[in-house]
Amino acid sequence: MTTPILLTPGPLTISRQTKESMLRDWGSWDADFNRITARIRERLLAIVHGEGTHECVPLQGSGTFSVEAALGTLVPRNGKVLVPQNGAYCQRILRICRVLGRAHQAIDYAENEAVRVEDVERALAADPSITHVALVHCETSAGILNPLQAIAEVVARHGRSLIIDAMSSFGALEIDARTMPFDAVIAASGKCLEGPPGMGFVIVRRAALEQADGNCHSLAMDLHDQWVYMKKTTQWRFTPPTHVVAAFDSAIEQYLAEGGREARGARYANNCRILIEGLAKLGLRSFLPAEIQAPIIVTFHAPAISNYQFKAFYDAVKSRGYILYPGKLTTLETFRVGCMGQMGERGIQGAVDAVAAVLLELEAAA
Ligand SMILES: *Cc1c(COP(=O)(O)O)cnc(C)c1O
């Protein structure tokens, strides 16, 4: 059996070309390597049209490291963060605020509800001490798409700053710095850009970054320091994940060759449609209403099979070459399927076919 295809929203299945670009070793001081870093930063900035106004600061680690770094660097110690909350990644932001000792306030939603602009507006009007809003663009826990553009406009109108966790949307869904006011957009190598996991990056409005000198609670997480050092030396401050950087560069090259944001977004949207329609034919219902379903990851109700257990379902689908993702809802039994990554020759239909075969198997055994 060949390596199974990951139907998970990062790590995900990366192309052979991306994998092969990890076969060479790079010195972190080497000018050729630092040119790769510079090219990645430039191209990431261009994806959101932030040239001239924003800076791209890369950071070692998984995506959460960059979320923590952005909050720690950009929110002053006496700042306050408003977090509209509809899933696990929003809760993680609240937890980071708690650990960093930054004042915070949540607006809580159900796991199948998108954030409402009016609520954010009301909270901002009621509390002038709120300095920042932290919004998760696509809440990967259920797959909800939050109304980013409308919220960005409200936050700007109230003169506050917006920090966007766009981890599972960056590169696939539109974010345009020319028309959308924000201070920071956070993402990572191993999501929609289809690189290996291992580094994150934050696109920061230059003026906000300049003002952030000395805010950060941590040396390693200080994006201002990373930025200043990189500007001065072209190098990363501490050992970079060299192979990941080289592979991410290759992944971005392939992304641009595929047609960039629009092509990537269209491919995922098509996967999402085939998946939802295909599994619906098998009697598997998706959890979210279509209007708030992001074309990134889909939550499905567990199959109505007696003695259903995710583990057995997972193992059976895995033996047919696909890795599912467990559900992350608090009360309902669900499972998730990602729409992203290199799905191989049979594409997402291969995954639908595998689930179909497994359901027949499990039903026959039940
Ligand atoms: C993947 C993801 C993160 C980061 O998670 P890590 O496990 O640290 O990579 C943060 N926010 C969202 C919305 C994500 O999908």
Side-chain angles (χ1 to χ4, degrees):
M1 165 116 271
T2 48
T3 334
I5 288 173
L6 300 175
L7 300 173
T8 58
L12 37 70
T13 299
I14 60 178
S15 74
R16 170 167 288 275
Q17 193 182 333
T18 300
K19 288 188 188 87
E20 282 172 354
S21 62
M22 283 187 272
L23 293 174
R24 173 173 169 183
D25 304 309
W26 295 91
S28 63
W29 282 66
D30 188 78
D32 290 338
F33 177 73
N34 291 316
R35 267 193 288 278
I36 296 179
T37 301
R39 178 164 61 226
I40 290 177
R41 293 175 65 206
E42 231 167 73
R43 285 175 164 176
L44 293 174
L45 200 55
I47 290 172
V48 293
H49 310 286
E51 304 100 316
T53 51
H54 292 65
E55 295 283 342
C56 174
V57 189
L59 186 72
Q60 297 91 331
S62 87
T64 304
F65 289 63
S66 285
V67 176
E68 182 163 320
L71 291 164
T73 303
L74 297 174
V75 179
R77 295 184 194 209
N78 60 359
K80 180 170 180 182
V81 188
L82 177 70
V83 186
Q85 189 284 104
N86 57 356
Y89 292 99
C90 304
Q91 286 163 22
R92 191 176 295 174
I93 288 176
L94 287 162
R95 193 158 169 214
I96 290 171
C97 290
R98 220 171 294 136
V99 170
L100 300 189
R102 299 295 194 276
H104 51 278
Q105 180 187 324
I107 306 175
D108 292 315
Y109 294 93
E111 292 166 316
N112 61 353
E113 272 184 324
V115 171
R116 282 183 298 269
V117 187
E118 316 82 79
D119 299 336
V120 174
E121 171 124 57
R122 202 174 313 118
L124 292 178
D127 186 353
S129 75
I130 293 170
T131 54
H132 290 73
V133 174
L135 182 76
V136 176
H137 187 195
C138 166
E139 222 324 330
T140 323
S141 19
I144 297 178
L145 184 62
N146 283 317
L148 173 57
Q149 180 75 39
I151 287 173
E153 285 165 15
V154 159
V155 173
R157 199 169 344 109
H158 283 262
R160 319 299 168 87
S161 299
L162 179 65
I163 295 176
I164 306 161
D165 174 348
M167 205 68 66
S168 62
S169 57
F170 189 99
L173 306 182
E174 192 181 20
I175 298 174
D176 189 336
R178 297 168 304 185
T179 52
M180 178 187 292
F182 62 79
D183 269 11
V185 166
I186 310 154
S189 54
K191 301 247 172 163
C192 302
L193 293 172
E194 301 187 352
M199 62 168 278
F201 57 90
V202 187
I203 310 282
V204 196
R205 194 168 58 82
R206 190 181 296 134
L209 191 55
E210 282 164 350
Q211 281 164 23
D213 190 5
N215 272 352
C216 198
H217 60 290
S218 153
L219 172 68
M221 294 292 180
D222 190 342
L223 293 179
H224 181 270
D225 206 45
Q226 176 91 317
W227 174 57
V228 168
Y229 186 88
M230 208 169 251
K231 223 170 23 163
K232 201 161 62 189
T233 65
T234 74
Q235 292 167 24
W236 295 59
R237 237 174 357 156
F238 312 127
T239 306
T242 44
H243 299 77
V244 171
V245 172
F248 190 32
D249 181 51
S250 166
I252 295 170
E253 183 79 38
Q254 293 162 65
Y255 168 82
L256 297 174
E258 183 180 335
R261 212 274 310 157
E262 287 188 8
R264 187 61 51 97
R267 170 153 68 83
Y268 290 178
N270 193 46
N271 283 349
C272 184
R273 185 182 52 75
I274 293 171
L275 184 67
I276 291 177
E277 288 174 8
L279 294 199
K281 284 198 191 114
L282 305 173
L284 295 173
R285 282 178 307 126
S286 62
F287 169 70
L288 291 175
E291 317 82 71
I292 60 168
Q293 172 69 61
I296 301 293
I297 183 165
V298 185
T299 298
F300 291 95
H301 293 278
I305 295 170
S306 54
N307 303 324
Y308 168 83
Q309 294 216 318
F310 176 72
K311 179 73 169 63
F313 182 56
Y314 174 94
D315 286 341
V317 175
K318 180 178 172 185
S319 73
R320 290 174 181 272
Y322 295 91
I323 299 285
L324 295 174
Y325 210 40
K328 208 170 188 169
L329 300 185
T330 42
T331 52
L332 287 170
E333 178 70 31
T334 55
F335 69 95
R336 290 179 292 171
V337 187
C339 307
M340 55 217 293
Q342 297 290 314
M343 303 266 177
E345 256 169 55
R346 290 181 301 157
I348 191 81
Q349 187 60 45
V352 173
D353 296 344
V355 170
V358 165
L359 286 180
L360 284 178
E361 230 172 76
L362 294 179
E363 272 157 14

